[in-house]
Amino acid sequence: MLKFILVASIVILFLIFSIPILIAEKYIGRRHPEKRSRQSLAIVRTVFRFILKVVGIRVTVKGMENIPKDTPVLYVGNHRSYFDILVGYTTVPTPLGFMAKKEMERIPLLSNWMRNVNCLFLDRENIREGLKAILDGVDKVKNGVSIWIFPEGTRNDAEDYLELMPFKEGSLKIAEKTGCPVVPVAITGTAEAFESHYPRIKSSQVTIEFGKPFIIKGLEPQKKKFAGAHTREVILDMLMKEKKQREGN
C-alpha cells in the first residue's frame, strides 16, 4: 500500500508543480508544435522512468531491432495494466502517442499532458467522434509520430494473459489509411505489478517484445481482410513463447 501512496503522490505533485511548464509549453506549441511534443515527451519519459524505478519494475526489452528508425508505425499491443503505457513510452525511442479512452480527457492537467505527448481520445460509443480520432491518428502518423493502440478495447483482467480478447478490426484503420508498418507488441508482467493485487503495487519483472513489422496491404487476402485477428494471432504466439521461456527458467 505504501508504494501505491508513493506513486499517487508523485503523479499528483507532478501535475500540480508542472502547471507553469504546461503554460510555457502552450505558448511554444502555437509556433512550434513539434518542439512542444519533443520537450513534453522528454519530461514525461523521465517521470515514468522514475516511477518504474521507485516501484521496482524491471523491464526486459526484446526485438528493438524491429522498430523502424526512419518511419512512424502503428504499435498494436495486448493490454493488461496501466503500467503498459509507462513501459511503452520509456522503451520506444521515437515520437509516440497512445490512443486513450475518451473519459481520460475529462481529467484536468493530466489530459493536457496527454495531448502534449500525442495522445488521442477515442469515444467508442460515438461513431463520428471515433472516426475523428482515427483521422487525427492518421495526421499524427503523416507528421512522423507513431501511435500505440490496444485493440482489445479495454484492459484484459483474465487470470491467464494468454486469454486475449478479440481484437476490434476497425482499430487498425490508421495503418490501413496511411500504409505505415504495424508492429505487434507483447507485454507480460505489468498486471503482476498492480492490477493482480489492487490497490497494492509490487515489484515485478516485465517483458516487452516488439515483433516484426508488416504492411497490411502486403498480407495475403484473408489476413488483410481480418488484419486485427491476424495481429492478435501474432501477439498470442509471442506471448506463448515468452510463457514457455519463463516456465523453462
Side-chain angles (χ1 to χ4, degrees):
M1 192 65 179
L2 180 61
K3 286 185 177 180
F4 177 84
I5 296 173
L6 183 57
V7 170
S9 299
I10 291 171
V11 173
I12 292 171
L13 289 173
F14 168 72
L15 291 177
I16 293 173
F17 287 103
S18 68
I19 291 176
I21 300 176
L22 279 174
I23 295 173
E25 293 290 353
K26 181 179 180 180
Y27 285 102
I28 291 172
R30 289 177 179 176
R31 292 189 176 184
H32 308 286
E34 291 183 6
K35 182 178 180 180
R36 178 185 62 187
S37 174
R38 185 172 63 253
Q39 292 179 167
S40 296
L41 275 169
I43 293 170
V44 168
R45 281 169 170 159
T46 299
V47 174
F48 282 176
R49 290 189 183 99
F50 179 66
I51 291 174
L52 293 175
K53 185 175 182 179
V54 167
V55 171
I57 291 181
R58 303 171 301 279
V59 181
T60 298
V61 184
K62 299 180 179 180
M64 281 294 287
E65 69 278 3
N66 291 323
I67 297 179
K69 296 179 176 60
D70 56 351
T71 185
V73 305
L74 181 70
Y75 293 99
V76 181
N78 62 312
H79 192 21
R80 299 278 295 170
S81 169
Y82 287 114
F83 280 106
D84 295 338
I85 298 168
L86 278 70
V87 172
Y89 267 122
T90 55
T91 53
V92 172
T94 54
L96 175 67
F98 275 76
M99 187 72 76
K101 57 184 179 181
K102 186 70 174 178
E103 291 76 8
M104 300 295 289
E105 194 174 18
R106 301 171 187 162
I107 305 175
L109 301 180
L110 178 61
S111 59
N112 297 89
W113 276 108
M114 291 177 71
R115 291 189 191 94
N116 283 3
V117 294
N118 306 304
C119 283
L120 303 169
F121 300 96
L122 178 64
D123 187 347
R124 296 186 177 89
E125 304 301 322
N126 188 314
I127 296 177
R128 180 177 294 179
E129 288 298 313
L131 178 59
K132 182 179 182 299
I134 291 173
L135 294 177
D136 287 343
V138 169
D139 287 339
K140 291 283 187 185
V141 170
K142 288 181 177 179
N143 284 291
V145 177
S146 295
I147 297 296
W148 190 309
I149 64 169
F150 298 116
E152 288 174 282
T154 186
R155 282 184 297 111
N156 186 342
D157 58 3
E159 186 173 344
D160 187 349
Y161 58 76
L162 295 182
E163 296 180 17
L164 296 180
M165 293 185 286
F167 279 21
K168 299 180 185 302
E169 288 298 332
S171 60
L172 272 69
K173 285 292 183 183
I174 293 174
E176 292 177 359
K177 290 181 176 295
T178 62
C180 75
V182 174
V183 175
V185 187
I187 304 178
T188 57
T190 48
E192 286 71 17
F194 182 46
E195 281 75 8
S196 294
H197 35 74
Y198 175 85
R200 290 179 297 163
I201 298 178
K202 294 184 177 181
S203 300
S204 178
Q205 176 61 53
V206 171
T207 299
I208 179 169
E209 181 176 1
F210 298 96
K212 293 183 179 180
F214 64 86
I215 305 292
I216 292 179
K217 289 183 179 180
L219 296 173
E220 56 188 68
Q222 186 67 10
K223 292 179 179 179
K224 185 192 302 183
K225 185 177 180 180
F226 300 103
H230 167 68
T231 310
R232 181 183 181 276
E233 290 302 312
V234 172
I235 293 173
L236 181 58
D237 185 59
M238 294 162 66
L239 291 170
M240 291 175 66
K241 289 178 181 177
E242 177 61 26
K243 186 172 186 178
K244 287 180 181 178
Q245 186 171 345
R246 288 194 175 201
E247 292 175 346
N249 293 335

